């Protein structure tokens, strides 16, 4: 009996040991499976993060995630580029953005969670983002909102920053143009009105001599208004970018120069100016819109004469053509253009102060902006150098490819530029 009990006990022990072993194996299998799941989840999570980062990196806008302590916890590629290698992860916003105004723009969203979209305009020389130095005005659209899935106690805010500097500048130029144009038109109109009042209200019309004098002045000012309007129309036509607006035909550059000199003959004679023509070949033929080339050369030669009323000025007009480009230049040995003004003289309505305070030299300041537009419409570039009193030189370069593109009706700006291009 006792033997039987011992056998039963042994059997029970063996059974228990076996169960324990089985359980241990099951436990090990379970642990291994959990480990495998963990690994898989980790991989999936990493993959999902990678894909999210790739998507966010593809954005042209800077994208940042900010935690409850206003620290940057994520920055996409555009944001990293904006800060040019300066480490911003883990930094507070105030540290990351050097310009306080950008942080201030975000403050309402960070404090209360209220979504914010605002435009921040920073004046010249400001360096709002890291060590990036930018010239001129910077404009940014800052858009911030709290992530909906983040908890109220531990909020995460996403911030999108878009650089709108170019749009801002274009808008500014447009505003300036309207303001300048209105101003330029208002002056001659006010003068005409003044004379009309004199004639009609003050009864001066009874004096034929005076009336005639007043009418002459009025005519001069209406001509000025017409010229301004005509110039503005030319600019807007050229700016509309229709290369098709050009009437392109081959013409002799020499005869175009001749036309311009004939139109300016009385001025040349009055100033006893010496005109030199430097042509490699009198028969040089150029393909373009002759009307605009006459305007270009007229403006350049007229400027040289107009800015230098003294006697004995030398003006040179030249043209050559080689395997790469046609080059056209107009030079004079007059007062020149101060280097501080050089970068601006192609801007609409820009006139060098110094020249005009001394004596009344007529002009609107539209001439050179038309010249530049017209040259660009032909796929060319224009540049100016000036050593006052010695040599003021405007040089136009039109690559042969651009000229050929115009001939075939292509937009010359699409033509591959030769090495001759400069601006
Ligand atoms: P507009 O041509 O519209 O009648 P403008 O001649 O004053 O007026 P632009 O032709 O655009 O205007 O020239 C701009 C300014 O550049 C001139 O007012 C003048 O101050 C300066 N400038 C241009 N060419 C010369 C030059 N050859 N020598 C000295 N200054 C020049
Ligand atoms: Mg001019």
């Amino acid at each position: 009996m006792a033997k039987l009990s011992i056998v039963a006990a042994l059997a029970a022990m063996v059974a228990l040991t076996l169960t324990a072993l089985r359980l241990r194996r099951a436990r090990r299998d379970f642990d291994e499976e959990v480990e495998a799941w963990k690994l898989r989840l980790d991989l999936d999570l990493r993959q999902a993060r990678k894909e999210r980062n790739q998507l966010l990196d593809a954005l042209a806008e800077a994208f940042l995630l900010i935690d409850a302590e206003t620290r940057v916890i994520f920055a996409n590629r555009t944001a990293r580029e904006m800060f040019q290698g300066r480490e911003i992860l883990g930094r507070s916003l105030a540290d990351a953005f050097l310009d306080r105004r950008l942080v201030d723009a975000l403050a309402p969203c960070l404090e209360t969670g209220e979504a914010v979209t605002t435009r921040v305009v920073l004046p010249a020389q400001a360096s709002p983002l890291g060590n990036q130095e930018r010239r001129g005005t910077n404009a940014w659209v800052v858009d911030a909102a709290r992530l909906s899935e983040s908890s109220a106690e531990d909020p995460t805010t996403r911030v999108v920053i878009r650089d709108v500097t170019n749009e801002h500048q274009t808008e500014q130029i447009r505003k300036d143009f309207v303001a300048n144009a209105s101003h330029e038109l208002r002056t001659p109109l006010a003068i005409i009105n003044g004379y009309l009042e004199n004639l009609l209200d003050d009864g001066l019309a009874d004096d034929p001599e005076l009336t005639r004098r007043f009418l002459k002045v009025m005519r001069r000012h209406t001509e000025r208004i017409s010229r301004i309007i005509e110039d503005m129309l030319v600019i807007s036509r050229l700016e509309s970018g229709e290369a098709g607006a050009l009437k392109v035909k081959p013409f002799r550059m020499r005869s175009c120069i001749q036309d311009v000199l004939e139109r300016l003959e009385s001025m040349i004679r009055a100033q006893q100016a010496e005109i030199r023509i430097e042509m490699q070949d009198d028969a040089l033929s150029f393909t373009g819109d002759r009307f605009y080339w006459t305007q270009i050369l007229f403006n350049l030669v007229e400027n040289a004469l107009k800015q230098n009323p003294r006697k004995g000025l030398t003006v040179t007009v030249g043209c050559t053509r080689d395997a790469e480009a046609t080059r056209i230049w107009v030079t004079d040995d007059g007062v020149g253009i101060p280097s501080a003004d050089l970068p601006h003289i192609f801007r609409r309505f820009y006139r060098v102060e110094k020249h005009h305070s001394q004596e009344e030299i007529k002009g609107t300041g539209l001439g050179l902006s038309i010249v530049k537009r017209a040259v660009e419409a032909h796929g060319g570039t224009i540049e100016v150098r000036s050593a006052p009193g010695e040599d003021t030189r405007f040089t136009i370069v039109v690559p042969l490819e651009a000229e050929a593109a115009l001939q075939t009706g292509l937009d010359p700006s699409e033509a591959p530029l030769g090495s001759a291009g400069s601006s």
Side-chain angles (χ1 to χ4, degrees), residues 222-241:
T222 45
E223 278 167 7
R224 185 165 160 72
I225 294 175
S226 311
R227 166 126 190 236
I228 294 172
I229 291 173
E230 212 173 284
D231 283 354
M232 291 194 322
L233 287 175
V234 170
I235 293 181
S236 72
R237 227 179 18 243
L238 287 169
E239 281 191 346
S240 68

Side-chain angles (χ1 to χ4, degrees), residues 389-403:
E390 288 171 32
D391 185 40
T392 296
R393 179 174 293 263
F394 287 85
T395 311
I396 296 168
V397 180
V398 184
L400 293 192
E401 288 99 328
E403 204 182 324

Side-chain angles (χ1 to χ4, degrees), residues 210-276:
L210 205 63
T211 306
R212 207 177 148 65
R213 224 180 67 214
F214 281 9
L215 286 175
K216 269 190 179 165
V217 180
M218 281 155 58
R219 185 171 62 191
R220 236 188 33 241
H221 287 283
T222 45
E223 278 167 7
R224 185 165 160 72
I225 294 175
S226 311
R227 166 126 190 236
I228 294 172
I229 291 173
E230 212 173 284
D231 283 354
M232 291 194 322
L233 287 175
V234 170
I235 293 181
S236 72
R237 227 179 18 243
L238 287 169
E239 281 191 346
S240 68
E242 321 154 30
L246 299 179
K247 294 192 183 68
V248 177
K249 263 205 280 199
F251 63 89
R252 293 250 163 99
M253 198 48 97
R254 181 75 171 80
S255 88
C256 183
I257 297 173
Q258 207 52 47
D259 282 358
V260 169
L261 296 180
E262 273 165 27
R263 279 170 61 186
L264 287 165
E265 201 186 337
S266 63
M267 214 170 161
I268 295 169
R269 198 160 344 108
Q271 285 183 222
Q272 296 169 11
E274 185 190 337
I275 308 287
R276 292 190 190 147

Side-chain angles (χ1 to χ4, degrees), residues 227 303 306 332 337 350-352 355-356 363-368:
R227 166 126 190 236
N303 278 354
K306 203 167 60 168
D332 68 76
I337 303 163
Y350 191 87
R351 305 179 78 211
V352 178
H355 296 168
H356 305 291
T364 315
L366 283 174
L368 284 179

